[in-house]
Amino acid sequence: MKTFKYSRQAFLKTLLVSALVVTGSLAAAQSKFALISHAPDSDSWWNTIKNSVKQAGEDYGVRVDYRNPPNGDLADMARLIEQAAAQGYDGVIVTIADFNVLQGAIKKLTDKKIPVITINSGTPEQSEKLGAVMHVGQPEYAAGKGAGERAKADGIKSFLCVNHYATNPASFERCRGFAEAIGADFKKSTIDSGDDPTGIEAKVSAYLRQNPGTQAVLTLGPTSAHPTLKALEKGGQKGKLWMATFDLSDEISKGIKDGSVKFAIDQQPYLQGYIPVAVLATMKATNSTDLTKVAAAVKANSKSTARFNEYGLVPAYGARHIGSGPGFVTKDNIAKVEKYAGQYR
């Protein structure tokens, strides 16, 4: 009798746990999330995040819709957020491209008790003011300053910051951090290059002609890095003028290997898409808002762990927010990351 009684209790306990798992899985499977970015269609850097939300959706059994303003117009982005609020998503992931422009639209989500996770641009402080669950991204000023400190160690005292997405005010924090690290004038050292490759190349060339004492160039991503490399090559300065950039691409990887690019500042964008989906799905499945427990569940999830290990990604789990960078890709570690550049890095 004792043996039977124990077995029956064990069986019932197992059955209960199984029921909870199934219920949680069904809850997650019925979930529908949206990721709304500020990026125009022309910005290929966001392909990595598109890949990550697709994979996270498959791993966690949820649907994730990617939305963005085709031309990068923030008013259009605000409308997309308002539409998401009206469409009744179970959670929305959004970039803080401009706090003032987007806060009204994001409030429509939080007013409806739709969980919001902010990513990429903006700050954890802004995220909290917006009522978001957490922020997943790279501290922009700190990343720029870290790059500037490396430049200062190389003797750099003047630079040009090529900003191809000046429509996002947070982007200037990268330039400002770099400038303050080397003691340069932030505003005089920064140009709004636009995102047209021919225009970027022309503006970089013109600035360097007008400011021949410029020692370094910092670009904010592949969109501005590629035309800048062309401008330097045509001006006979490629490999001679100190250059660094944010983010990665095949062309940037090639520059790191041949020495024309000192390093790339990697914000591990894959994490910015994957982790928010994982967090929202886990919150929904467990019906929990305890971020410590939710983050621990994501961290312990075998599929999440496998993805991060495979791609060499290291999230920085905090008490509330999760950091995705910065990391620095140099000649020393380029071989490890270039395999996945443009897809998962």
Side-chain angles (χ1 to χ4, degrees):
M1 288 294 292
K2 287 183 178 179
T3 303
F4 173 75
K5 184 178 179 181
Y6 174 79
S7 298
R8 183 171 181 273
Q9 287 177 333
F11 171 74
L12 290 174
K13 184 177 181 181
T14 301
L15 188 64
L16 177 60
V17 171
S18 298
L20 288 171
V21 170
V22 170
T23 302
S25 298
L26 288 173
Q30 295 166 358
S31 299
K32 182 177 69 171
F33 306 131
L35 190 156
I36 303 171
S37 86
H38 59 268
D41 291 341
S42 60
D43 194 339
S44 61
W45 181 84
W46 284 81
N47 290 340
T48 298
I49 288 182
K50 292 177 186 177
N51 291 338
S52 71
V53 297
K54 180 177 182 295
Q55 188 61 66
E58 293 175 4
D59 287 351
Y60 283 84
V62 298
R63 171 182 160 184
V64 188
D65 297 329
Y66 178 87
R67 299 282 184 266
N68 69 295
N71 297 316
D73 183 86
L74 295 187
D76 286 344
M77 181 185 177
R79 282 189 284 272
L80 290 173
I81 295 171
E82 291 172 354
Q83 289 171 10
Q87 291 165 357
Y89 280 95
D90 295 295
V92 176
I93 304 157
V94 63
T95 63
I96 313 176
D98 188 312
F99 182 91
N100 295 326
V101 172
L102 301 177
Q103 63 176 330
I106 293 174
K107 189 175 185 298
K108 293 188 177 183
L109 294 170
T110 55
D111 283 349
K112 288 192 171 185
K113 308 300 181 185
I114 297 173
V116 174
I117 292 180
T118 59
I119 64 167
N120 186 256
S121 53
T123 67
E125 291 76 20
Q126 288 177 326
S127 180
E128 291 175 14
K129 286 181 181 178
L130 291 168
V133 173
M134 66 167 59
H135 184 73
V136 182
Q138 169 182 264
E140 303 290 19
Y141 176 82
K145 188 174 182 181
E149 287 170 348
R150 288 176 173 238
K152 184 178 180 180
D154 288 342
I156 300 300
K157 296 180 180 178
S158 62
F159 84 119
L160 163 65
C161 186
V162 187
N163 189 341
H164 67 270
Y165 67 119
T167 51
N168 180 354
S171 64
F172 287 100
E173 288 298 287
R174 297 177 171 185
C175 304
R176 186 170 71 87
F178 193 100
E180 292 185 4
I182 66 171
D185 186 312
F186 153 59
K187 292 184 178 179
K188 290 182 179 179
S189 304
T190 303
I191 61 171
D192 173 0
S193 67
D195 59 11
D196 175 66
T198 303
I200 294 171
E201 183 181 334
K203 288 178 181 178
V204 170
S205 296
Y207 183 95
L208 295 177
R209 282 197 304 270
Q210 294 163 10
N211 300 273
T214 303
Q215 296 176 302
V217 178
L218 176 71
T219 57
L220 302 192
T223 299
S224 49
H226 298 171
T228 295
L229 284 168
K230 286 185 178 179
L232 296 181
E233 185 171 18
K234 289 180 180 179
Q237 298 159 298
K238 186 177 179 181
K240 297 177 182 178
L241 199 66
W242 193 101
M243 177 180 170
T245 186
F246 278 78
D247 307 327
L248 288 165
S249 69
D250 289 341
E251 194 166 338
I252 290 170
S253 295
K254 182 181 177 183
I256 292 172
K257 288 187 287 186
D258 68 23
S260 57
V261 178
K262 294 292 183 180
F263 55 80
I265 304 156
D266 180 23
Q267 59 177 297
Q268 301 181 119
Y270 191 90
L271 296 176
Q272 296 176 16
Y274 192 101
I275 285 180
V277 173
V279 168
L280 289 173
T282 302
M283 288 176 63
K284 180 74 173 179
T286 61
N287 194 30
S288 174
T289 56
D290 186 328
L291 292 181
T292 301
K293 293 181 179 179
V294 170
V298 172
K299 195 173 182 180
N301 184 282
S302 59
K303 289 184 178 179
S304 297
T305 301
R307 302 291 174 205
F308 301 163
N309 288 342
E310 181 181 358
Y311 307 141
L313 300 168
V314 184
Y317 292 96
R320 174 173 178 178
H321 308 291
I322 298 176
S324 67
F328 293 90
V329 181
T330 66
K331 276 186 176 182
D332 294 334
N333 62 2
I334 185 63
K336 183 177 181 180
V337 300
E338 69 176 348
K339 177 181 178 182
Y340 299 115
Q343 284 187 295
Y344 309 111
R345 292 296 302 257

